[in-house]
Amino acid sequence: MKVTPYEHSSETKKKQVEQMFDNISGNYDFLNRSLSFGIDVLWRKKMMRELKGIEINKLLDIATGTADVAIAARKLKPGSIIGVDISEGMLAVGRVKVAKKGLNELIQLQRGDSENLPFEDNSFDAITVAFGVRNFEHLSKGLDEMQRVLKPGGKVVILEFSRPRIFPIRQLYDFYFRYFCPWWGKVVSKDNAAYRYLYESVSAFPEGDQFLSIAEKSGFKQLNAQRVTFGIVSLYTGIK
Ligand SMILES: C[S@@+](CC[C@H](N)C(=O)[O-])C[C@H]1O[C@@H](n2cnc3c(N)ncnc32)[C@H](O)[C@@H]1O
């Protein structure tokens, strides 16, 4: 069964996801920092370490949202960074952050669908996606597109929520994600559904080896999955 943000909507998952992120865009950064106690910043730094030492001319950050990963990627000293997202609301917040940091020359944010990327084949040296793949309507299509626009030998780094396995972390995590996050998300963003969708979409997401086998079908090689912070998130890497 497909997990979508708004149970009673007849729109596609993609449209609903776009609408949800447009709705919460103004509160997204605050909710992220407060719900993760700031650990999300460390997770994005860990992503960057996976790309250290690689010569990157062009970097693509898919589902860039408010551009935190795109901004963090400046440390890699790439020639250029493009961030794509389907939510104009999220991109608008991101554009303000990029401008404030004086990064307009380096980072370009544009609207685009991960399942139909507006780029030529073999365009990028590296691709990053943080907390994006879980929201794709068709995961394989999104991975096929990453494979298409990545240069041969290029690297993809994907960060996504997973579920801890050990007692009592799993139980605490389930309580936190199932009850606390939706409550806090509703208080702050006034969107009843957004943080309920977070729990449901994480529960339904094919994590670990399951994710790797889907990525393998898209043609990625040297695939690796790493569980981080008790498995609250997983870091996936692969090479074209
Ligand atoms: C949880 S946010 C993550 C944002 C950012 N990467 C971060 O780490 O904070 C997920 C983002 O994925 C975007 N998204 C979902 N489906 C997408 C698609 N098909 N194409 C492009 N972006 C998509 C949403 O609009 C949203 O901004």
Side-chain angles (χ1 to χ4, degrees):
M1 200 190 77
K2 197 172 273 182
V3 175
T4 57
Y6 303 109
E7 280 168 318
H8 303 295
S9 168
S10 54
E11 297 280 11
T12 59
K13 173 172 177 177
K14 195 178 293 180
K15 197 74 208 154
Q16 290 186 46
V17 164
E18 177 183 355
Q19 196 185 329
M20 181 187 86
F21 281 103
D22 277 345
N23 284 348
I24 65 170
S25 56
N27 299 301
Y28 177 82
D29 285 343
F30 171 71
L31 277 167
N32 242 355
R33 288 304 105 76
S34 57
L35 288 172
S36 77
F37 307 103
I39 303 177
D40 61 307
V41 177
L42 301 181
W43 291 333
R44 290 190 189 84
K45 277 193 181 149
K46 196 165 169 63
M47 271 184 106
M48 295 304 123
R49 284 204 285 277
E50 289 293 335
L51 293 171
K52 238 181 168 175
I54 299 175
E55 184 134 351
I56 301 174
N57 182 21
K58 286 179 79 179
L59 183 142
L60 175 64
D61 182 40
I62 295 177
T64 194
T66 60
D68 277 350
V69 175
I71 291 169
R74 73 191 186 283
K75 297 261 163 68
L76 300 167
K77 305 208 183 316
S80 69
I81 300 171
I82 296 182
V84 289
D85 201 283
I86 40 164
S87 162
E88 255 314 325
M90 295 289 273
L91 290 170
V93 175
R95 285 194 189 104
V96 173
K97 286 158 69 177
V98 167
K100 269 192 183 155
K101 290 192 181 292
L103 295 171
N104 278 341
E105 293 282 300
L106 178 67
I107 301 175
Q108 185 202 326
L109 301 182
Q110 65 181 77
R111 192 169 181 281
D113 178 4
S114 59
E115 294 172 28
N116 188 14
L117 290 169
F119 307 111
E120 303 274 306
D121 297 358
N122 308 321
S123 300
F124 296 93
D125 305 283
I127 294 180
T128 50
V129 196
F131 308 113
V133 288
R134 177 175 41 87
N135 298 296
F136 294 176
E137 178 137 29
H138 306 102
L139 176 58
S140 302
K141 240 178 168 176
L143 289 164
D144 288 350
E145 278 294 84
M146 290 179 211
Q147 167 78 7
R148 180 182 70 75
V149 302
L150 202 55
K151 285 184 190 165
K155 187 168 183 177
V156 65
V157 182
I158 297 172
L159 183 69
E160 191 48 86
F161 284 113
S162 44
R163 295 176 80 196
R165 294 182 188 136
I166 47 167
F167 176 86
I169 309 287
R170 167 77 174 236
Q171 286 68 19
L172 286 170
Y173 170 97
D174 272 347
F175 177 81
Y176 187 73
F177 263 65
R178 192 167 191 173
Y179 300 107
F180 184 78
C181 293
W183 173 78
W184 184 233
K186 189 173 153 182
V187 169
V188 176
S189 74
K190 313 282 180 267
D191 187 310
N192 289 353
Y195 285 78
R196 176 190 55 76
Y197 164 77
L198 172 68
Y199 174 75
E200 289 174 2
S201 60
V202 172
S203 302
F205 188 70
E207 63 180 66
D209 289 345
Q210 250 183 304
F211 179 80
L212 293 186
S213 73
I214 298 170
E216 194 174 15
K217 287 197 188 102
S218 292
F220 288 102
K221 307 261 182 287
Q222 298 174 43
L223 282 157
N224 186 51
Q226 217 182 312
R227 291 169 72 79
V228 181
T229 323
F230 306 110
I232 292 173
V233 296
S234 292
L235 195 58
Y236 305 99
T237 54
I239 303 285
K240 174 166 175 179

